[in-house]
Amino acid sequence: MVITYCSTPEELFRVAADMIIAEAQAAMRRNGFVTLTLSGGSTPKGLYSLLAGTDALLWERVHLLWGDERVVASDSIDSNYRMANESLISHVAIPETNVHRVKTELGAEESAADYEATIRALYGTDTPTLDVVLLGVGPDGHTASLFPGQPQLESDKLVTATPPATREPRVERITMTFRLLNRASLVIFLVSGEEKVPIVGSILSHEQEANAYPASRVKPDGRLVWAVYPSPFEP
Ligand code: 6PG
């Protein structure tokens, strides 16, 4: 595990963007394409804007996935797709067929099954290894839409639906599971916010209480990187 403590949000986004670009270029050399799994919430907006301005990625060979999505319309203010579209997708020449939006209009269960099938087909296998996965952490230690104490934490699916979340927006969610997330080549936790310092500090210190936080259960076969602002260990 690599931990990068950043002094500013701009440094946080720059560090993550550089890692994404390097891994994406390696994946494109390896497989001819790269999947970039996007995180939702608000922190990643600055990173997506930075990526939108780079010419280091061959967007026609980048496939976008989402680690989770709220079961709302794709133009809803709560949609993770909408946030990514406004900050990234609408600014780059990525083919529409490379943007794998979660089809929330199918409803929770059906869109989860549809999304799992999309990922299996993209890799042509039932055991896909995602290339680059971005995740965030909530103040309760959730990641993607894997919330503390949920039965979905133990799902053996690759993508699962969840009941209305225990945090805003309190709607049903679609989320990648640990089974899929932990097969990734590179997972980057992009974390910002004072309110997360205790949680991140606990996870990175491998404290016993951290076991209750879903984010602590992301242990990918590949590399795990935490990019954090501010540092949980600075005075
Ligand atoms: C979601 C996100 C969620 C997010 C965390 C952190 O759909 O809400 O995927 O897991 O990453 O809640 O969000 P912030 O980084 O915006 O605080």
Side-chain angles (χ1 to χ4, degrees):
M1 171 164 46
V2 171
I3 306 168
T4 303
Y5 298 118
C6 302
S7 306
T8 63
E10 292 71 25
E11 183 188 359
L12 180 74
F13 302 140
R14 181 72 266 159
V15 161
D18 289 347
M19 283 189 281
I20 290 167
I21 290 166
E23 182 66 23
Q25 290 173 340
M28 282 189 256
R29 286 192 297 273
R30 203 168 50 234
N31 305 327
F33 72 97
V34 60
T35 60
L36 173 56
T37 298
L38 300 179
S39 176
S42 56
T43 296
K45 286 177 190 170
L47 169 59
Y48 298 165
S49 298
L50 195 56
L51 290 175
T54 180
D55 57 6
L57 289 173
L58 293 174
W59 288 106
E60 62 271 20
R61 293 165 65 184
V62 177
H63 286 259
L64 295 180
L65 295 166
W66 276 261
D68 70 320
E69 183 58 281
R70 295 83 178 269
V71 184
V72 296
S74 58
D75 61 356
S76 162
I77 192 70
D78 287 329
S79 165
N80 288 336
Y81 165 80
R82 172 174 162 174
M83 183 270 277
N85 189 43
E86 290 175 346
S87 53
L88 174 58
I89 298 166
S90 58
H91 302 282
V92 296
I94 186 168
E96 194 174 328
T97 49
N98 287 22
V99 179
H100 305 283
R101 180 182 66 80
V102 178
K103 296 174 183 163
T104 54
E105 59 274 20
L106 299 175
E109 293 296 339
E110 197 173 329
S111 61
D114 175 77
Y115 210 57
E116 175 158 331
T118 297
I119 296 169
R120 291 180 192 272
L122 189 56
Y123 280 94
T125 173
D126 284 348
T127 54
T129 297
L130 299 176
D131 297 308
V132 182
V133 176
L134 274 175
L135 290 173
V137 180
D140 59 352
H142 82 262
T143 190
S145 283
L146 296 164
F147 291 90
Q150 264 189 341
Q152 285 76 20
L153 299 181
E154 311 313 327
S155 173
D156 60 3
K157 295 178 181 176
L158 300 181
V159 180
T160 188
T162 81
T166 51
R167 301 182 65 83
E168 292 301 334
R170 297 175 190 271
V171 297
E172 290 175 299
R173 310 286 188 97
I174 306 301
T175 187
M176 288 184 179
T177 62
F178 292 125
R179 181 176 170 216
L180 178 56
L181 294 171
N182 283 337
R183 294 185 50 82
S185 296
L186 170 62
V187 173
I188 302 172
F189 273 104
L190 190 75
V191 186
S192 70
E194 284 290 346
E195 73 282 7
K196 303 185 189 162
V197 169
I199 292 269
V200 172
S202 172
I203 293 173
L204 298 185
S205 305
H206 305 291
E207 291 172 1
Q208 182 66 26
E209 69 174 31
N211 294 335
Y213 305 136
S216 71
R217 292 180 54 178
V218 176
K219 299 182 171 74
D221 296 340
R223 292 184 295 138
L224 175 60
V225 175
W226 285 76
V228 180
Y229 165 73
S231 165
F233 305 114
E234 276 175 356

